[in-house]
Amino acid sequence: MQKQILVIEDDKDIANLIALHLRDLSFAVELSHTGTAGLNLAQKNAFDVIVLDLMLPEMDGIEICRRLRATDNLTPILMLTAKASELDRVLGLELGADDYLTKPFSIKELLARIKALVRRTAINQSLQGEDSEILQLADMQIDIDKRLVMINQQSIDLTAREFELLLHFARHPGRVYSRTQLLDQVWGYGHDGYEHTVNSHINRLRKKIEADPTNAKYIQTVWGVGYKFSEPGNA
């Protein structure tokens, strides 16, 4: 089945360029040039990925992301931003964006990110309807099919990417991963210079699952190497 991509970008030249390359890869593409029209399309139709510009007329990308996630719309979102500040990027990720690119970006890299998100969506959809697998790790319970995390019987609200990152760690307790390995295995791509994306996600994930994020119980830093999930009996 042809994959559906929604591009919400007010710069028509950029939007058309993205659409041209996506259609060359046999994706079906819909374009929107305002925030309100883009949100309306995202809410009414099913897409495999949404490419979302941060600065839009009528409604910005942050608000679109907020509204979609508030209605449990988990369509992967790749946010585009012309702003260079880390705050803007992290804010978008905090509200549920799965990835971001800063303008100007290479089309090759954009396509790699989109294909990685499409693959991740396909994997998640293939798991739906199967018998639910539940991981029990000390006082943490992860219901993989329902994508739910409980700690001490309390539900933890995670974004799609945070859940995938936590699940990857939990499935391999004690194994140390570098930031580059996590980008490749969880995000689906590896690019030098984007290790801070991993750092941002782990910092936010720790705030949600750790009683004391500065003294992590679950996701531990291995200095000079990367991160690992605490082995059973040590959490």
Side-chain angles (χ1 to χ4, degrees), residues 6 8 56 154 157 171 183 196:
L6 173 61
I8 310 175
L56 292 163
Q154 298 293 315
D157 185 21
R171 279 177 161 161
L183 273 174
H196 55 273

Side-chain angles (χ1 to χ4, degrees), residues 8 17 25 56 85 89 91 141-142 159 161 174 180 186 192 209:
I8 310 175
L17 180 63
L25 295 175
L56 292 163
S85 78
R89 302 170 186 174
L91 180 57
Q141 185 180 82
I142 304 175
T159 67
R161 185 70 74 189
T180 301
V186 179
D192 291 339
I209 68 172

Side-chain angles (χ1 to χ4, degrees), residues 3-7 46-51 75-78 113-119 121:
K3 300 301 182 182
Q4 307 288 321
I5 312 295
L6 173 61
V7 179
F47 293 97
D48 293 279
V49 174
I50 298 172
V51 180
T75 304
I77 294 173
L78 172 60
R113 303 290 188 93
I114 292 172
K115 287 190 286 187
L117 291 173
V118 167
R119 286 195 300 271
T121 301

Side-chain angles (χ1 to χ4, degrees), residues 59-98:
M59 182 186 301
D60 65 27
I62 294 293
E63 182 61 23
I64 292 172
C65 194
R66 190 199 315 274
R67 294 195 187 190
L68 289 175
R69 295 311 189 226
T71 58
D72 293 326
N73 184 320
L74 298 179
T75 304
I77 294 173
L78 172 60
M79 187 165 282
L80 306 178
T81 173
K83 295 186 176 182
S85 78
E86 186 68 14
L87 176 62
D88 293 312
R89 302 170 186 174
V90 173
L91 180 57
L93 296 172
E94 180 68 29
L95 291 172
D98 296 88

Side-chain angles (χ1 to χ4, degrees), residues 14 17-18 21-22 101 105-113:
I14 293 177
L17 180 63
I18 293 172
H21 284 275
L22 286 172
L101 273 177
F105 51 82
S106 75
I107 287 294
K108 182 178 179 180
E109 184 170 356
L110 174 73
L111 297 177
R113 303 290 188 93

